[in-house]
Amino acid sequence: MSIASKYEPASAEAKWYAYWMEHKLFSSKIDHSKEPYTIVIPPPNVTGVLHMGHMLNNTIQDVLIRRARMQGKNACWVPGTDHASIATETKVVQLLKERGIDKKDISREEFLKHAWEWKEKYGGIILEQLKKLGASCDWDRTAFTMDPGLSDAVISVFVDLYKKGKIYRGIRMVNWDPKGQTALSDDEVIMKEIASKLYYIKYKIEGAEDQFLTIATTRPETIMADVAICINPNDPRFAHLKGKKAIIPLINRAIPIIEDEYVDMEFGTGCLKVTPAHDINDYELGIKHKLEVIDILNDNGTLNEKAQILVGEDRFIARKKIGKLLDEIGQLDRIEDYKSNVGHSERTDAVIEPKLSLQWFLKMDEITKPAFTSVMDDLIQLHPPKFKNMYRVWMENVRDWCISRQLWWGHRIPAFYLPNGEFVVAKTAEEALEIANSKFGKTFTLADLKQDEDVLDTWFSSWLWPISVFDTEVFSTGKPNEELKYYYPTNDLVTAPEILFFWVARMIIAGYEYMGEKPFKNVYLTGIVRDKLGRKMSKSLGNSPDPLDLIAQYGADGVRTGMLFSSPAGNDLPFDEKLVEQGRNFANKIWNAFRLVKGWEIDPSLDGSANSASLEWFENRFNQALNEINEHFEKFRISDALMTTYKLVWDDFCSWYLEMIKPGYQQPIDQATYDKTLEFFENILKILHPFMPFLSEEIWHQIKERSVEESLILASWPNEKSFEPKIIEDAAQVFEVVSQVRNLRASKGMSPKDALDLTINAKNKGLYTSFEAVLTKLANLSSLSFAEKVENAMSFVVKADECFIPMGDTIDVEEEKANIQKELEYTRGFLNSVMKKLSNERFVAGAPAQVVEMEKKKQADAEAKIKALEESLAKLG
């Protein structure tokens, strides 16, 4: 088989993905002889297209799933999409507007018809794009949160929780999107720092003609909804106002002056206006002091009749007009520039309005308890564990979950209203009718029932995801099917920290509520992909490359490794296209190494004993690296696992091992060395496969013809074996000697072709004689000998051994002394830094034993080297 001179990612990727799909190598079926390993994809929005965050998240998932598959586990990665109520409805409304259709002019049924058409046309784009990345999902299991079975599950859960008394309907303060005209959950609100204005407004004191109280507010348009002025009871400035009333400017309504220590005496003027309908903190204050609630805003953000003035004006236009009107009557003291954090709708970018609204809520006080303790007790482990504290704070301050949304796209709330003003909750209208007639002793008809117009929060379906993708009926039957029994709980979840509470915590809550068991064992939290300036990558900033363009340019394996080179768990990834270029170069390095090895001619009659030390070294080095890689995976240090693999392949295998055993120009290699080298190469391909699936599969099949069952994707992960650290250390010392000889040649302008004599004042001659063939070849030596001293020679020190290369009469003693002095100073500085660590009691007590031991070894090596360098200097006088 001829091997292409250059690796072509595009053709390899198309070929192998089609091959894996054709032979269903991603498929998973119940197999009790195998341990299941399950990941459920964080379902991307049905509106979504692949961005850099998806690339990182799904690469990590694929790395984990491919490795588990090679470990002999029954690997199952379930893909799917989320219906994304607000995002999808916004898209469809926009699409209809382009066609000249306004949502309010058509029926719900007509709108949903358009929404489903949009979903069928565009909804699966992101999943197709994930295939370009190499995602080895079981595509036959693809789920959608509004599939019939998953929808039934959501409705069953709502009915069940309502019957348990955990869901209720009530008026509460919610995040309101005036543009989308729906309530939002906290996670759908993006806080932005904006340039604002602080208006200082003068309120008259009732009964005192020339007495005023000045209030600072960023929202003068809400003064008509004020119901009180609040002062701190400990503030002496306002003691004379206790028990009095103030007059709201422009509408001249009197409101009480109340006292509460909630007021910050240092902020603004030290007192505040209380507007319970339009501020969450004011709402809580209003409940505490039994204050009236006056809501002056319509759902679309315009002022209503209760405002008395500027009725029908948009809130922001009203803000400017109120400021002007206050100024005209002399009750605007001043306006100051002010920076404030303001909530914006994630989807419409409208400024959020805190609003009292009749909504459906899930009580969170009791249902969250198992989910809280399971993470605190490490039954579910967060990686990195620093997120435990964030989780704890959220869960300890949890509020009831507003689960209703004023939209048409989504799971419609199964509440049915009756002509008598009552309602019943049931899975279907028929069930609701039966309950209504039984409960009220009347004969209602289906025509009498009116279903709630609202839909459920998107998270109310995705919180069931690890269960519902395997079994949609367990929520109503209470009896898990065989799939759910086998695959649940899943193993690892890979997601973003910003949805730790909104999705992850809620899945844990649902898991304990409906399965009595955690939904996953580990949660790996990725960081945010940022640009070189530290900004989050986004379309709006124009700082995010198109992932598909990157794949086209650098290959999927190059992009995968480039993303993982610098993505430690929970820390942001500072993305630079050079990382992806480095990934592509890595792929090319491996391809060229393969071409080199396959290009060698074999002579079975040759004796390969000269390569025995090289073979023994690399086998030990591979086993050492494999141990490290496995440990990194166990601790979810995916980037570290890749870097260990990268160094093993690039440095140890390509730069050292292949150079050590490579036959001379047009010379053959012995059979034993060649066979062992291919064995090494195959083991390398195995540990590379999770990171670089396409390249590794391509080379695997080019090494020799293999059946489907022998494909690399199904190959066994290498077994961990013991290794001899001393062999690895000895080789490292020999490599250092080779590097120093090469450096010396370069500094003296000597030709690499000129063979040199090397004499070593060695503490352990056997170390060098066992690697003599390697030293002679890589350093191009004419001879290797041992002596305490060589006259007229250049010297350098490796560990405690002084090495000499005779230079005849050409040696410059002063230059040699200067070089040794320079190295001596560097080594002393290095020793000093090691000693600082070892003298730090906290480091010695807290660091792992092997880390402390490594530092002590560095100390011993540095001390020995300093001694040898000082002796060299003394010999030169």
Side-chain angles (χ1 to χ4, degrees):
M1 182 192 293
S2 63
I3 302 166
S5 61
K6 192 179 173 194
Y7 174 59
E8 296 292 347
S11 59
E13 287 160 18
K15 175 174 71 176
W16 290 114
Y17 206 86
Y19 181 89
W20 294 327
M21 290 284 282
E22 179 193 347
H23 298 290
K24 293 195 172 293
L25 301 187
F26 306 154
S27 178
S28 176
K29 300 281 187 291
I30 293 174
D31 181 349
H32 291 289
S33 69
K34 286 185 173 184
E35 176 191 343
Y37 176 84
T38 316
I39 292 180
V40 292
I41 203 170
N45 286 355
V46 74
T47 58
V49 292
L50 201 62
H51 61 60
M52 297 302 283
H54 293 131
M55 292 281 283
L56 173 62
N57 186 297
N58 287 283
T59 295
I60 291 167
Q61 289 177 81
D62 195 45
V63 167
L64 294 174
I65 211 85
R66 284 180 183 272
R67 178 170 177 267
R69 194 181 284 123
M70 295 176 78
Q71 289 176 309
K73 296 174 185 175
N74 189 353
C76 178
W77 184 9
V78 182
T81 48
D82 189 288
H83 64 279
S85 292
I86 296 172
T88 306
E89 184 140 331
T90 303
K91 287 267 188 190
V92 177
V93 167
Q94 190 180 333
L95 181 73
L96 291 176
K97 196 175 282 184
E98 289 167 7
R99 296 178 186 171
I101 303 169
D102 195 310
K103 179 189 168 187
K104 67 176 183 290
D105 295 334
I106 61 175
S107 68
R108 185 185 195 113
E109 288 67 32
E110 285 177 287
F111 179 83
L112 289 176
K113 184 171 175 286
H114 286 293
W116 277 106
E117 283 174 2
W118 186 93
K119 184 264 171 188
E120 293 307 317
K121 187 172 181 181
Y122 301 106
I125 288 175
I126 190 164
L127 298 184
E128 289 304 309
Q129 291 175 326
L130 284 176
K131 293 175 182 178
K132 298 281 188 190
L133 183 65
S136 58
C137 302
D138 186 346
W139 296 107
D140 293 336
R141 292 181 175 275
T142 303
F144 173 53
T145 49
M146 278 175 61
D147 283 340
L150 276 77
S151 293
D152 287 347
V154 171
I155 302 307
S156 295
V157 166
F158 184 97
V159 173
D160 175 65
L161 291 172
Y162 178 78
K163 285 178 180 175
K164 289 173 178 173
K166 293 179 179 179
I167 283 179
Y168 65 93
R169 190 168 181 249
I171 295 175
R172 295 286 185 277
M173 183 71 74
V174 297
N175 301 307
W176 186 260
D177 177 351
K179 190 173 179 183
Q181 294 196 36
T182 181
L184 301 178
S185 59
D186 291 344
D187 63 294
E188 293 161 328
V189 176
I190 306 295
M191 299 306 293
K192 297 182 184 177
E193 187 178 76
I194 63 170
S196 186
K197 302 284 184 188
L198 199 57
Y199 294 77
Y200 287 81
I201 303 170
K202 295 157 72 176
Y203 288 65
K204 280 184 181 177
I205 303 302
E206 189 180 52
E209 189 61 35
D210 296 321
Q211 201 172 358
F212 292 89
L213 186 64
T214 304
I215 307 290
T217 179
T218 58
R219 304 199 61 196
E221 73 279 11
T222 64
I223 63 170
M224 296 83 77
D226 290 352
V227 295
I229 298 287
C230 193
I231 58 174
N232 191 306
N234 305 312
D235 195 332
R237 293 174 295 176
F238 306 115
H240 63 290
L241 297 177
K242 292 182 180 183
K244 295 190 177 182
K245 289 189 175 183
I247 309 292
I248 300 174
L250 302 178
I251 62 169
N252 298 318
R253 176 160 51 82
I255 53 174
I257 295 172
I258 64 171
E259 302 169 55
D260 199 291
E261 290 187 352
Y262 166 76
V263 177
D264 181 355
M265 292 187 286
E266 302 301 318
F267 178 75
T269 61
C271 49
L272 57 84
K273 68 190 202 70
V274 183
T275 320
H278 302 294
D279 183 277
I280 183 64
N281 296 314
D282 290 9
Y283 177 64
E284 301 291 344
L285 207 57
I287 292 173
K288 182 177 177 182
H289 291 272
K290 298 182 173 58
L291 298 172
E292 182 186 6
V293 176
I294 302 171
D295 185 347
I296 63 164
L297 288 176
N298 294 313
D299 287 351
N300 65 356
T302 57
L303 273 60
N304 62 31
E305 288 77 8
K306 290 179 185 176
Q308 301 179 46
I309 58 174
L310 302 177
V311 175
E313 289 280 17
D314 178 79
R315 55 190 169 150
F316 297 119
I317 292 170
R319 179 177 297 177
K320 290 179 180 176
K321 288 187 175 182
I322 293 281
K324 193 174 179 185
L325 290 171
L326 288 168
D327 195 33
E328 286 171 0
I329 63 170
Q331 286 188 255
L332 182 65
D333 184 72
R334 66 189 186 278
I335 300 175
E336 292 178 353
D337 289 332
Y338 183 70
K339 292 273 188 191
S340 58
N341 280 313
V342 177
H344 289 68
S345 168
E346 183 185 28
R347 296 297 167 191
T348 66
D349 203 40
V351 172
I352 292 302
E353 196 60 58
K355 184 175 175 63
L356 281 173
S357 182
L358 183 62
Q359 303 284 349
W360 290 90
F361 294 87
L362 173 62
K363 292 179 184 176
M364 297 291 273
D365 50 354
E366 289 297 321
I367 201 171
T368 56
K369 285 179 179 175
F372 177 71
T373 55
S374 65
V375 172
M376 292 302 103
D377 295 344
D378 287 330
L379 296 174
I380 297 172
Q381 295 197 331
L382 305 184
H383 304 273
K386 69 178 181 180
F387 286 107
K388 266 179 77 171
N389 191 49
M390 183 192 292
Y391 185 90
R392 179 185 61 76
V393 170
W394 271 338
M395 295 294 269
E396 285 178 345
N397 296 282
V398 70
R399 294 183 178 185
D400 287 357
W401 176 10
C402 176
I403 56 175
S404 46
R405 297 290 180 271
Q406 290 62 56
L407 301 164
W408 282 349
W409 174 252
H411 301 101
R412 195 168 176 181
I413 289 174
F416 299 84
Y417 299 90
L418 306 168
N420 64 359
E422 298 283 351
F423 67 84
V424 293
V425 169
K427 284 189 72 173
T428 64
E430 289 75 16
E431 281 182 30
L433 184 64
E434 195 178 317
I435 294 167
N437 286 330
S438 170
K439 185 174 181 181
F440 299 107
K442 294 185 179 181
T443 311
F444 293 111
T445 65
L446 282 173
D448 294 323
L449 302 184
K450 186 176 184 299
Q451 189 174 353
D452 198 303
E453 290 290 324
D454 290 353
V455 299
L456 287 158
D457 178 13
T458 296
W459 300 109
F460 198 84
S461 56
S462 57
W463 78 324
L464 309 177
W465 189 248
I467 305 171
S468 59
V469 294
F470 297 113
D471 186 353
T472 58
E473 295 178 9
V474 67
F475 305 103
S476 52
T477 66
K479 295 175 182 174
N481 65 16
E482 290 307 307
E483 283 241 317
L484 189 56
K485 285 180 191 173
Y486 180 72
Y487 289 111
Y488 189 95
T490 68
N491 294 73
D492 304 325
L493 179 77
V494 181
T495 190
E498 56 262 35
I499 53 174
L500 179 57
F501 175 68
F502 307 111
W503 185 48
V504 178
R506 287 170 178 165
M507 282 191 286
I508 301 171
I509 293 165
Y512 281 104
E513 181 71 17
Y514 288 100
M515 295 298 293
E517 171 68 290
K518 58 183 179 285
F520 27 70
K521 296 164 190 167
N522 297 288
V523 180
Y524 179 101
L525 295 153
T526 63
I528 295 168
V529 184
R530 297 190 181 274
D531 66 13
K532 285 184 274 189
L533 300 176
R535 301 173 303 173
K536 183 177 179 179
M537 284 192 162
S538 68
K539 278 186 185 174
S540 57
L541 283 176
N543 64 344
S544 179
D546 185 323
L548 296 178
D549 289 346
L550 286 176
I551 289 173
Q553 186 176 354
Y554 297 104
D557 291 327
V559 177
R560 288 166 66 109
T561 50
M563 294 290 288
L564 291 178
F565 275 138
S566 61
S567 58
N571 290 329
D572 293 350
L573 188 159
F575 182 79
D576 187 330
E577 203 162 314
K578 286 179 182 172
L579 293 168
V580 176
E581 195 177 331
Q582 185 183 352
R584 180 195 60 191
N585 293 346
F586 186 36
N588 290 339
K589 182 83 170 177
I590 296 161
W591 183 257
N592 289 334
F594 170 63
R595 287 183 66 239
L596 175 71
V597 173
K598 287 296 278 185
W600 291 338
E601 185 187 335
I602 305 159
D603 184 346
S605 67
L606 284 179
D607 174 20
S609 56
N611 289 324
S612 59
S614 303
L615 298 173
E616 186 182 22
W617 163 72
F618 188 77
E619 185 143 26
N620 277 277
R621 178 67 194 102
F622 178 86
N623 289 331
Q624 182 191 41
L626 180 63
N627 274 263
E628 290 172 13
I629 291 162
N630 286 337
E631 186 182 351
H632 288 319
F633 271 115
E634 294 313 309
K635 294 180 178 176
F636 287 87
R637 297 193 296 243
I638 312 299
S639 271
D640 292 340
L642 172 61
M643 284 311 299
T644 302
T645 305
Y646 178 85
K647 288 172 182 172
L648 173 75
V649 176
W650 192 292
D651 298 338
D652 299 314
F653 186 70
C654 296
S655 297
W656 288 114
Y657 174 75
L658 291 182
E659 289 299 312
M660 289 155 76
I661 57 114
K662 183 172 71 175
Y665 179 64
Q666 292 188 335
Q667 296 294 309
I669 192 168
D670 68 278
Q671 187 76 52
T673 302
Y674 183 78
D675 291 345
K676 196 66 179 172
T677 302
L678 279 188
E679 183 188 314
F680 289 153
F681 214 124
E682 289 187 344
N683 275 331
I684 282 170
L685 292 174
K686 288 177 182 179
I687 60 172
L688 275 170
H689 182 75
F691 303 107
M692 309 179 85
F694 296 110
L695 171 76
S696 56
E697 191 77 82
E698 174 70 23
I699 295 176
W700 182 259
H701 286 267
Q702 288 217 26
I703 286 175
K704 66 180 180 187
E705 202 170 309
R706 304 183 199 249
S707 66
V708 173
E709 293 74 25
E710 293 172 315
S711 294
L712 181 55
I713 189 174
L714 301 177
S716 296
W717 186 256
N719 290 323
E720 260 191 28
K721 294 176 184 172
S722 60
F723 58 91
E724 289 291 335
K726 186 163 189 325
I727 292 172
I728 298 165
E729 287 170 23
D730 288 354
Q733 190 163 333
V734 169
F735 297 156
E736 177 62 19
V737 171
V738 171
S739 297
Q740 292 277 17
V741 171
R742 289 173 175 175
N743 291 342
L744 192 142
R745 282 180 193 276
S747 68
K748 298 301 175 189
M750 300 160 77
S751 169
K753 294 178 182 176
D754 294 340
L756 299 174
D757 297 323
L758 176 65
T759 302
I760 306 175
N761 182 8
K763 303 289 181 285
N764 175 13
K765 294 178 186 176
L767 185 159
Y768 298 102
T769 54
S770 61
F771 282 97
E772 186 168 357
V774 171
L775 251 177
T776 301
K777 181 177 184 181
L778 298 186
N780 188 14
L781 303 180
S782 49
S783 69
L784 172 66
S785 58
F786 301 95
E788 284 190 16
K789 186 179 179 183
V790 176
E791 296 296 334
N792 297 324
M794 298 286 291
S795 70
F796 55 85
V797 175
V798 173
K799 294 282 180 79
D801 294 347
E802 189 174 10
C803 304
F804 305 95
I805 293 178
M807 301 294 288
D809 297 328
T810 62
I811 187 168
D812 184 331
V813 175
E814 291 308 314
E815 184 186 347
E816 184 68 2
K817 283 163 70 175
N819 289 337
I820 293 173
Q821 190 66 49
K822 191 176 175 183
E823 192 171 357
L824 193 53
E825 285 170 13
Y826 170 82
T827 310
R828 282 171 178 158
F830 174 77
L831 176 62
N832 192 38
S833 67
V834 172
M835 294 311 295
K836 274 185 183 173
K837 273 189 186 177
L838 290 173
S839 61
N840 183 332
E841 290 178 12
R842 283 180 64 189
F843 169 76
V844 175
Q850 65 267 31
V851 173
V852 176
E853 202 52 47
M854 180 65 74
E855 292 302 314
K856 287 181 178 175
K857 189 172 184 313
K858 286 179 185 175
Q859 176 193 352
D861 287 347
E863 286 171 346
K865 186 167 184 177
I866 288 168
K867 187 182 176 190
L869 285 167
E870 287 172 341
E871 287 173 359
S872 297
L873 208 54
K875 287 172 190 171
L876 289 170

